[in-house]
């Protein structure tokens, strides 16, 4: 295990929070707090906030991401946003397959794969989310499921394109619940993801892929979670809406 081969990435996922003016204010507050980060710092924001967020982050080390991307280039897809639109708006990262999209908006492993390919073909960095429900964990399917979701998401992704892929292991039972996976559970889940990548691309390539943990990561538990060899960063929901808490997590990843 060679953690130093991988870049630590702390990404906020704001979900459906913050108006454009609130986004601007929060980023202004965060900028000085994360300026000396030794990890990549990303904020994934609602589509409507992207122009304000890109403008506010200009000249700083904060990169802006979107929370979804459509897989078609253009056309009759009411309510969707294309790669070209995101590119022109200044987005660099895209979250794909978040469990809330899978749970509430009909996202499947197939559409996750299509969105991943669309993002990579357009030159974005893709943060692809995988994770088991509590029921699946209790049935003993965690490893099988994480490997399946990871492989499905990466179907037809080349080894070259994989350099722009980050996988976020987010146990569904830990998202927004305040119930964090233990550091060992996070390490194990991330390890299953890495093993799936190794099966498809070889162990050497798998060692270079950033695998984040997400699910109630916060200012208090970030240090311990990020100390684990397979935990290369975090996808942060609730705690990314508070500048100071987010900055503490960024600091923990900068060690
Ligand atoms: P949470 O969300 O940190 O609020 O649990 C994480 C996520 O859903 O990405």
């Amino acid at each position: 295990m060679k953690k130093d081969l991988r870049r630590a990435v702390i990404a906020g996922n704001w979900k459906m929070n913050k108006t454009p003016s609130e986004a601007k204010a929060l980023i202004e507050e965060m900028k000085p707090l994360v300026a000396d980060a030794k990890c990549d710092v990303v904020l994934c924001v609602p589509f409507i906030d992207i122009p304000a967020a890109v403008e506010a982050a200009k000249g700083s080390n904060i990169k802006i991401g979107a929370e979804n991307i459509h897989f078609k280039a253009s056309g009759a897809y009411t309510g969707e946003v294309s790669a070209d639109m995101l590119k022109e708006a200044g987005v660099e990262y895209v979250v794909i397959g978040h469990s809330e999209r899978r749970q509430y908006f009909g996202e499947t492993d197939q559409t996750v794969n299509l969105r991943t390919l669309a993002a990579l073909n357009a030159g974005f960095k893709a943060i692809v989310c995988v994770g088991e429900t509590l029921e699946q964990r209790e049935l003993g399917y965690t490893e099988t499921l994480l490997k399946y979701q990871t492989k499905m998401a990466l179907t037809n992704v080349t080894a070259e394109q994989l350099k722009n892929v980050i996988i976020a292991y987010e146990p569904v039972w830990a998202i927004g619940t305040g119930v964090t996976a233990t550091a060992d559970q996070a390490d194990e889940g991330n390890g299953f993801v890495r093993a799936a990548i190794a099966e498809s691309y070889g162990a050497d390539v798998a060692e270079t892929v950033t695998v984040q943990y997400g699910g109630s990561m916060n200012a208090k538990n970030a240090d311990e979670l990020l100390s684990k060899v397979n935990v290369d960063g975090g996808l942060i929901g609730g705690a990314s809406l508070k500048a100071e808490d987010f900055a503490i997590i960024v600091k923990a990843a900068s060690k």
Side-chain angles (χ1 to χ4, degrees):
M1 291 292 167
K2 302 181 195 79
K3 197 167 179 169
D4 51 358
L5 289 178
R6 307 185 281 271
R7 183 98 181 136
V9 181
I10 296 295
N13 171 20
W14 284 3
K15 311 192 179 187
M16 197 173 73
N17 292 292
K18 304 291 174 191
T19 65
S21 62
E22 290 168 346
K24 179 179 183 318
L26 182 53
I27 292 171
E28 294 297 350
E29 196 184 345
M30 280 180 178
K31 276 199 290 194
L33 301 180
V34 301
D36 58 356
K38 290 188 190 65
C39 62
D40 289 350
V41 182
V42 185
L43 292 173
C44 301
V45 306
F47 290 135
I48 194 74
D49 292 349
I50 288 171
V54 167
E55 185 59 32
K58 225 173 232 162
S60 80
N61 58 332
I62 297 175
K63 311 281 188 214
I64 301 302
E67 298 178 12
N68 199 5
I69 182 173
H70 198 257
F71 36 88
K72 295 285 189 182
S74 63
Y77 302 100
T78 302
E80 293 292 327
V81 172
S82 75
D84 279 354
M85 296 170 191
L86 295 175
K87 257 271 128 80
E88 199 171 310
V91 160
E92 292 178 58
Y93 288 74
V94 180
V95 176
I96 295 166
H98 190 278
S99 65
E100 287 147 20
R101 303 280 337 154
R102 295 179 191 254
Q103 194 177 342
Y104 306 131
F105 302 102
E107 195 77 68
T108 66
D109 288 313
Q110 282 76 17
T111 54
V112 169
N113 176 237
L114 292 173
R115 291 184 206 278
T116 301
L117 290 169
L120 295 173
N121 288 334
F124 295 113
K125 292 190 195 310
I127 301 177
V128 181
C129 304
V130 298
E132 83 288 358
T133 62
L134 188 57
E135 188 187 14
Q136 289 161 338
R137 172 167 282 266
E138 286 172 346
L139 286 167
Y141 294 156
T142 302
E143 178 174 2
T144 308
L145 191 98
L146 290 181
K147 286 187 165 178
Y148 180 78
Q149 286 186 343
T150 302
K151 288 183 183 182
M152 285 295 284
L154 297 178
T155 303
N156 295 325
V157 171
T158 66
E160 190 55 32
Q161 287 178 316
L162 192 67
K163 291 177 182 161
N164 284 324
V165 172
I166 293 166
I167 307 280
Y169 166 49
E170 299 206 306
V172 177
W173 47 270
I175 295 176
T177 56
V179 181
T180 317
T182 64
D184 285 338
Q185 285 171 326
D187 197 41
E188 181 184 58
N190 283 25
F192 293 148
V193 168
R194 199 177 310 286
I197 298 170
E199 285 168 20
S200 302
Y201 297 89
D204 287 352
V205 171
E207 283 294 335
T208 65
V209 177
T210 296
V211 184
Q212 298 175 319
Y213 167 78
S216 298
M217 191 187 275
N218 58 40
K220 288 203 177 77
N221 59 28
D223 238 341
E224 195 190 351
L225 288 163
L226 291 164
S227 73
K228 290 293 175 179
V229 72
N230 270 312
V231 182
D232 308 315
L235 185 57
I236 322 294
S240 72
L241 298 169
K242 296 178 205 133
E244 279 174 18
D245 288 12
F246 188 66
I248 291 171
I249 299 170
V250 167
K251 270 203 182 74
S254 297
K255 286 179 183 158

